[in-house]
Amino acid sequence: GGRRTASQRSSRRDSGALDVVTELISASPARRRRAVVSEASDKHTSKAQQRMGGEDHDHGGMVYEDVAIADMSYDADNELYQYQCPCGDLFEITLEELHDGETIAHCPSCTLKVRVLYEKADLPALTEYPDE
């Protein structure tokens, strides 16, 4: 019995990949597309999970990245923190949301979210507005 060599492990893995390819070739075009899309989605999800440190169970979805508040830009006029999203837009979270204990900044253009790392004591004070 004993241990397998690296080449034996590799050929076994290649054999599994060959079985998948053979099955796809014999499958209908629609089934091939579904399988390829599914595999690509699985790879993307697992890489994303590794990069993002898993799922954020509190907000029902994946957190793209943990971002220190010092790395975000702050718009004092709008009391808004922003951070560049890979889609080209900006993740946003308001100062009020941070004061309320929220940690997730959302991108308005895609489904990505980042977790904002901050100490509540370090936040600027909220602007007080008179009741209308």
Side-chain angles (χ1 to χ4, degrees):
R3 307 171 84 178
R4 291 196 178 107
T5 65
S7 64
Q8 286 171 321
R9 285 191 301 270
S10 176
S11 68
R12 185 179 175 122
R13 193 171 48 242
D14 293 345
S15 166
L18 185 60
D19 291 344
V20 170
V21 170
T22 304
E23 185 178 323
L24 284 175
I25 290 170
S26 62
S28 70
R31 183 158 179 239
R32 279 196 298 262
R33 275 193 301 278
R34 281 195 305 273
V36 169
V37 167
S38 173
E39 183 178 333
S41 173
D42 290 347
K43 282 183 182 175
H44 176 74
T45 300
S46 64
K47 283 183 182 176
Q49 280 179 327
Q50 289 169 359
R51 187 173 64 240
M52 298 177 239
E55 291 193 34
D56 180 16
H57 296 287
D58 297 336
H59 293 83
M62 298 301 295
V63 172
Y64 173 70
E65 189 176 1
D66 286 344
V67 179
I69 199 162
D71 295 332
M72 299 181 80
S73 60
Y74 181 60
D75 175 352
D77 293 336
N78 294 306
E79 296 186 335
L80 183 70
Y81 280 92
Q82 297 176 315
Y83 185 75
Q84 187 68 53
C85 180
C87 81
D89 205 342
L90 297 168
F91 294 105
E92 298 180 337
I93 190 166
T94 66
L95 181 59
E96 184 174 11
E97 289 170 327
L98 292 167
H99 273 284
D100 289 343
E102 181 61 55
T103 59
I104 302 299
H106 298 267
C107 175
S109 296
C110 74
T111 61
L112 293 179
K113 308 174 222 187
V114 292
R115 181 180 297 111
V116 181
L117 307 175
Y118 69 100
E119 294 292 328
K120 197 169 182 177
D122 297 336
L123 293 174
L126 277 169
T127 303
E128 295 296 325
Y129 294 101
D131 291 334
E132 294 177 22

